[in-house]
mmCIF file of all heavy atoms in Angstrom:
data_model
loop_
_atom_site.group_PDB
_atom_site.id
_atom_site.type_symbol
_atom_site.label_atom_id
_atom_site.label_comp_id
_atom_site.label_asym_id
_atom_site.label_seq_id
_atom_site.Cartn_x
_atom_site.Cartn_y
_atom_site.Cartn_z
ATOM 1 N N ARG A 11 -15.510 -12.778 6.615
ATOM 2 C CA ARG A 11 -16.029 -11.809 5.645
ATOM 3 C C ARG A 11 -15.134 -10.555 5.520
ATOM 4 O O ARG A 11 -14.756 -9.936 6.507
ATOM 5 C CB ARG A 11 -17.442 -11.398 6.090
ATOM 6 C CG ARG A 11 -18.158 -10.509 5.111
ATOM 7 C CD ARG A 11 -19.632 -10.444 5.479
ATOM 8 N NE ARG A 11 -20.197 -9.146 5.195
ATOM 9 C CZ ARG A 11 -20.559 -8.735 3.990
ATOM 10 N NH1 ARG A 11 -20.404 -9.520 2.948
ATOM 11 N NH2 ARG A 11 -21.069 -7.531 3.832
ATOM 12 N N GLU A 33 11.476 -0.193 -3.471
ATOM 13 C CA GLU A 33 12.441 0.458 -4.364
ATOM 14 C C GLU A 33 12.358 1.979 -4.172
ATOM 15 O O GLU A 33 13.371 2.672 -4.115
ATOM 16 C CB GLU A 33 12.099 0.051 -5.811
ATOM 17 C CG GLU A 33 12.956 0.636 -6.895
ATOM 18 C CD GLU A 33 14.376 0.100 -6.909
ATOM 19 O OE1 GLU A 33 14.634 -0.930 -6.263
ATOM 20 O OE2 GLU A 33 15.225 0.755 -7.554
ATOM 21 N N GLU A 49 -2.686 -1.852 19.025
ATOM 22 C CA GLU A 49 -2.236 -0.700 19.823
ATOM 23 C C GLU A 49 -3.373 -0.340 20.776
ATOM 24 O O GLU A 49 -4.496 -0.824 20.638
ATOM 25 C CB GLU A 49 -1.959 0.512 18.922
ATOM 26 C CG GLU A 49 -0.883 0.309 17.872
ATOM 27 C CD GLU A 49 0.434 1.034 18.181
ATOM 28 O OE1 GLU A 49 0.630 1.480 19.334
ATOM 29 O OE2 GLU A 49 1.251 1.135 17.253
ATOM 30 N N ALA A 98 15.428 12.364 17.175
ATOM 31 C CA ALA A 98 16.060 12.046 15.879
ATOM 32 C C ALA A 98 16.111 13.304 15.025
ATOM 33 O O ALA A 98 15.161 14.092 15.013
ATOM 34 C CB ALA A 98 15.252 10.959 15.167
ATOM 35 N N ASP A 259 5.235 21.354 -13.926
ATOM 36 C CA ASP A 259 6.505 21.561 -14.604
ATOM 37 C C ASP A 259 7.285 20.251 -14.725
ATOM 38 O O ASP A 259 7.885 19.962 -15.748
ATOM 39 C CB ASP A 259 7.348 22.532 -13.756
ATOM 40 C CG ASP A 259 7.740 23.746 -14.564
ATOM 41 O OD1 ASP A 259 7.111 23.963 -15.619
ATOM 42 O OD2 ASP A 259 8.663 24.460 -14.136
ATOM 43 N N ILE A 267 -6.635 17.361 -10.886
ATOM 44 C CA ILE A 267 -7.984 17.907 -10.720
ATOM 45 C C ILE A 267 -8.017 18.642 -9.385
ATOM 46 O O ILE A 267 -7.865 18.018 -8.322
ATOM 47 C CB ILE A 267 -9.053 16.781 -10.672
ATOM 48 C CG1 ILE A 267 -8.884 15.808 -11.832
ATOM 49 C CG2 ILE A 267 -10.449 17.354 -10.574
ATOM 50 C CD1 ILE A 267 -9.624 16.120 -13.063
ATOM 51 N N PHE A 284 -4.608 14.838 -1.081
ATOM 52 C CA PHE A 284 -4.748 14.361 -2.472
ATOM 53 C C PHE A 284 -5.128 12.882 -2.505
ATOM 54 O O PHE A 284 -4.954 12.152 -1.512
ATOM 55 C CB PHE A 284 -3.443 14.585 -3.255
ATOM 56 C CG PHE A 284 -2.360 13.618 -2.879
ATOM 57 C CD1 PHE A 284 -2.111 12.475 -3.641
ATOM 58 C CD2 PHE A 284 -1.582 13.821 -1.748
ATOM 59 C CE1 PHE A 284 -1.108 11.579 -3.297
ATOM 60 C CE2 PHE A 284 -0.582 12.927 -1.381
ATOM 61 C CZ PHE A 284 -0.344 11.804 -2.170
ATOM 62 N N LEU A 325 -4.038 -1.308 -5.854
ATOM 63 C CA LEU A 325 -3.096 -1.159 -6.968
ATOM 64 C C LEU A 325 -3.022 -2.460 -7.758
ATOM 65 O O LEU A 325 -2.971 -2.454 -8.986
ATOM 66 C CB LEU A 325 -1.714 -0.736 -6.439
ATOM 67 C CG LEU A 325 -1.635 0.739 -6.017
ATOM 68 C CD1 LEU A 325 -0.410 1.008 -5.155
ATOM 69 C CD2 LEU A 325 -1.620 1.668 -7.236
ATOM 70 N N ASN A 333 -4.446 -4.758 -17.420
ATOM 71 C CA ASN A 333 -3.612 -5.812 -18.042
ATOM 72 C C ASN A 333 -2.122 -5.502 -17.986
ATOM 73 O O ASN A 333 -1.414 -5.671 -18.973
ATOM 74 C CB ASN A 333 -4.011 -6.023 -19.513
ATOM 75 C CG ASN A 333 -5.375 -6.616 -19.611
ATOM 76 O OD1 ASN A 333 -5.720 -7.516 -18.837
ATOM 77 N ND2 ASN A 333 -6.180 -6.087 -20.513
ATOM 78 N N LYS A 359 22.635 -34.897 0.326
ATOM 79 C CA LYS A 359 23.929 -34.239 0.113
ATOM 80 C C LYS A 359 23.916 -33.553 -1.266
ATOM 81 O O LYS A 359 24.292 -32.388 -1.397
ATOM 82 C CB LYS A 359 25.056 -35.283 0.179
ATOM 83 C CG LYS A 359 26.397 -34.683 0.495
ATOM 84 C CD LYS A 359 27.468 -35.764 0.638
ATOM 85 C CE LYS A 359 28.619 -35.411 -0.267
ATOM 86 N NZ LYS A 359 29.208 -36.503 -0.992
ATOM 87 N N ASN A 367 24.519 -23.847 -4.457
ATOM 88 C CA ASN A 367 24.961 -23.179 -5.689
ATOM 89 C C ASN A 367 23.844 -22.362 -6.335
ATOM 90 O O ASN A 367 23.941 -21.968 -7.494
ATOM 91 C CB ASN A 367 25.477 -24.231 -6.680
ATOM 92 C CG ASN A 367 26.878 -24.677 -6.319
ATOM 93 O OD1 ASN A 367 27.836 -23.987 -6.629
ATOM 94 N ND2 ASN A 367 26.978 -25.794 -5.621
#
Side-chain angles (χ1 to χ4, degrees):
R11 186 166 146 79
E33 179 70 15
E49 299 253 14
D259 237 16
I267 310 270
F284 74 98
L325 285 164
N333 292 319
K359 202 176 127 221
N367 281 280

